[in-house]
Amino acid sequence: MTNQSITQKLANPTRFMGLSDQLLPWLAGASAAIIGYAMYLAFFVAPPDYQQGHTVKIMFIHVPSAWLAMMAYVLIAISSFGLLVFRHPLADVSAKAAAPIGAAFTLLALITGSLWGKPMWGTYWVWDARLTSVLLLFFLYLGLMALRSSIEDEALAAKLTAVLALVGVVLLPIIKFSVDWWNTLHQPSTGLTTTVHSSIRVPLLVSALGFSLLFFTLHLKAMRNEILRRRVKALRMAEVDRAQGSQAPVAAS
Amino acid sequence: MMPGFWVLVRRDLQLAVREGGAIGTALGFYLIVVALMPLGLGPDLSLLSRIAAGVLWIALLLAALLSLPRIFEADYEDGALEVMATADLPLELVAAAKSLAHWISTGIPLALMAPALGILLNLDIGSTPALIGTMVAGTPAISFLGAIGAALTLKARRGGLLLALLVLPLYVPTLIFGITAINAVALGSDGFWQSFAMLVALSMGATVLGPVAAAAAVRPQLQ
């Protein structure tokens, strides 16, 4: 009930700009402080793992990145649903802003994962089920961004990208399942899911919180940029119309 | 309603046959990609028979991918798609009919050609029924999911390249279960029916998801 009224209030871009302007400094400050604290815990408090040694520190960046890689896609899917079903004016702005950030965290998860894999598995890349499904998630992100950039009409690009995002969200669990099934034919589980001791787990959770806040900071900032970009574009179009002497009214965004 | 569906299927099949070239090109592409593999990997027959199922499936995906734009492109360009959208038949069923016609005119010929190419790769002759069976069961997913990509890229610049990027990740489950099903027979491990059932399930799911998503993608482009 209240949740719905908030999304309805935010449908006004001007109100959204005002609110996000007030919120951003706090969000940015909190994410910087919490990530700083998490890195302090990771490098000075958490003990090196008895098997992994100091390479375990990579986990404090790798795990939050992998989590955000998935969360960003869920956010895109929800936004796409909001665009296609409710025609919420900010839904497309949110979906468009989240895609590159999600792709960046996915890439970060892949890179940190392979840096961890080199000392642990002796190679930068193995066709482990998890690595493979994250790689496929990365391809989906690339597809979303490529589709949007290759269609000139922005409103049309928004709708088509939303369709693709929803198709992706239906197929992602199936892809994940098939990759897991494929891999179990080749090798047993690598034991990544064993229980984690609290000396590692607590910094990991703090780090995940900090990176999540960082994601929301970046997402909000990217949404603001997108709204400003659209306003500039609308003003330019109005300017062109005026220069041509037509009586078209100034497009208000 | 349904007569219109079959009329559309027949029309698309006639176009595919009479235009000529379309089916032949896909088959020729399939042949040359498979023939290039031994040139790249060396003529070791035991190696080739081990990777045959994978090579046949991946080459089939690429050959089918080339023909995907055909599903909507010509009808979109000459305005026939607009007429179909205003007809009684829902756009979802139009997309389903066109995907079905694509499967019959591309998926089945490619599946029937696969055993001949399997010989080039030293695939066990005894696995021919399994090879044709899995490919016929798996290729509907390629046509129906491919229709989504074909619909999304109607107005896109560099549509063909983009189509590959959009659609190939969606084909991963079909690829995995298709290859394991063939290997179960050719390399003598068990679990053929398990993979085969998954393949059929994927194709059936695709026949539902594909037309709905493709219609949702075509509709905003017809205004």
Side-chain angles (χ1 to χ4, degrees):
Chain A
M1 190 70 188
T2 49
N3 185 29
Q4 200 178 19
S5 70
I6 287 174
T7 48
Q8 277 168 356
K9 273 181 197 157
L10 285 178
N12 180 345
T14 311
R15 191 175 287 144
F16 171 81
M17 291 302 270
L19 194 67
S20 60
D21 193 36
Q22 286 180 335
L23 205 60
L24 254 182
W26 296 99
L27 216 51
S31 49
I34 293 177
I35 290 177
Y37 180 56
M39 290 301 116
Y40 165 76
L41 285 180
F43 283 97
F44 298 105
V45 179
D49 188 81
Y50 83 100
Q51 265 186 329
Q52 305 178 9
H54 283 288
T55 48
V56 75
K57 313 258 185 256
I58 297 175
M59 284 296 129
F60 296 114
I61 293 179
H62 174 75
V63 174
S65 303
W67 141 246
L68 286 170
M70 286 181 283
M71 197 201 66
Y73 200 92
V74 173
L75 184 69
I76 293 174
I78 294 171
S79 303
S80 301
F81 188 78
L83 171 74
L84 290 180
V85 177
F86 301 113
R87 298 175 193 255
H88 194 283
L90 283 180
D92 176 50
V93 175
S94 163
K96 184 178 180 183
I101 307 172
F105 276 114
T106 313
L107 190 62
L108 200 60
L110 286 170
I111 292 174
T112 51
S114 70
L115 288 177
W116 181 84
K118 182 64 182 169
M120 286 302 108
W121 296 330
T123 170
Y124 285 112
W125 186 265
V126 292
W127 287 95
D128 171 74
R130 289 186 173 210
L131 275 73
T132 312
S133 41
V134 172
L135 183 67
L136 289 168
L137 177 65
F138 185 61
F139 291 152
L140 278 176
Y141 275 117
L142 289 186
L144 284 177
M145 291 190 287
L147 179 64
R148 189 186 286 278
S149 69
S150 67
I151 296 172
E152 233 156 286
D153 178 354
E154 283 192 34
L156 179 65
K159 279 183 198 155
L160 296 186
T161 314
V163 170
L164 180 64
L166 290 181
V167 168
V169 97
V170 172
L171 283 172
L172 262 178
I174 302 173
I175 293 174
K176 173 93 175 75
F177 163 76
S178 67
V179 169
D180 283 345
W181 191 86
W182 164 73
N183 186 259
T184 50
L185 290 178
H186 291 257
Q187 62 177 70
S189 164
T190 46
L192 284 171
T193 49
T194 45
T195 48
V196 183
H197 190 258
S198 64
S199 62
I200 302 283
R201 194 176 61 221
V202 172
L204 204 54
L205 287 175
V206 175
S207 182
L209 177 67
F211 273 94
S212 301
L213 287 174
L214 174 66
F215 173 85
F216 285 117
T217 308
L218 293 173
H219 185 232
L220 217 53
K221 188 74 190 161
M223 281 178 75
R224 287 173 58 82
N225 284 349
E226 177 63 21
I227 291 173
L228 291 175
R229 197 186 61 78
R230 288 183 185 186
R231 283 187 183 168
V232 168
K233 194 180 174 194
L235 287 175
R236 279 217 187 109
M237 299 299 276
E239 195 66 35
V240 170
D241 281 345
R242 223 183 351 249
Q244 285 170 346
S246 71
Q247 296 300 310
V250 176
S253 66
Chain B
M1 199 183 270
M2 286 320 273
F5 178 85
W6 293 112
V7 166
L8 204 55
V9 173
R10 214 171 65 212
R11 166 189 175 272
D12 270 31
L13 285 177
Q14 279 174 344
L15 279 176
V17 173
R18 291 185 188 161
E19 267 180 344
I23 301 171
T25 312
L27 291 176
F29 182 83
Y30 194 23
L31 173 65
I32 194 137
V33 171
V34 171
L36 281 179
M37 287 296 162
L39 296 176
L41 298 166
D44 177 9
L45 287 181
S46 67
L47 171 71
L48 289 178
S49 69
R50 250 188 305 134
I51 60 168
V55 170
L56 289 175
W57 260 105
I58 291 173
L60 182 137
L61 285 188
L62 297 178
L65 192 67
L66 280 183
S67 63
L68 284 180
R70 220 179 60 215
I71 299 181
F72 291 115
E73 200 172 54
D75 286 336
Y76 174 71
E77 279 167 2
D78 67 11
L81 207 54
E82 307 242 1
V83 178
M84 293 174 199
T86 54
D88 284 343
L89 198 64
L91 197 54
E92 281 78 7
L93 285 181
V94 172
K98 295 178 92 43
S99 311
L100 181 64
H102 178 264
W103 175 60
I104 297 172
S105 66
T106 309
I108 291 184
L110 287 172
L112 293 179
M113 191 175 168
L117 300 180
I119 294 172
L120 292 180
L121 297 174
N122 194 31
L123 188 73
D124 181 23
I125 291 279
S127 56
T128 298
L131 183 60
I132 294 180
T134 49
M135 285 188 164
V136 169
T139 40
I142 294 174
S143 293
F144 282 84
L145 292 179
I148 304 175
L152 286 172
T153 52
L154 274 178
K155 272 194 177 176
R157 295 180 297 253
R158 303 174 304 274
L161 281 175
L162 181 63
L163 183 59
L165 183 62
L166 299 187
V167 158
L168 284 178
L170 308 183
Y171 288 165
V172 166
T174 304
L175 185 70
I176 288 174
F177 290 109
I179 291 171
T180 45
I182 295 172
N183 276 341
V185 174
L187 305 180
S189 55
D190 52 351
F192 169 78
W193 289 109
Q194 196 187 359
S195 307
F196 187 77
M198 284 304 303
L199 215 50
V200 174
L202 286 171
S203 287
M204 294 194 332
T207 52
V208 178
L209 177 67
V212 173
V218 167
R219 210 169 270 127
Q221 301 184 75
L222 291 180
Q223 287 150 9

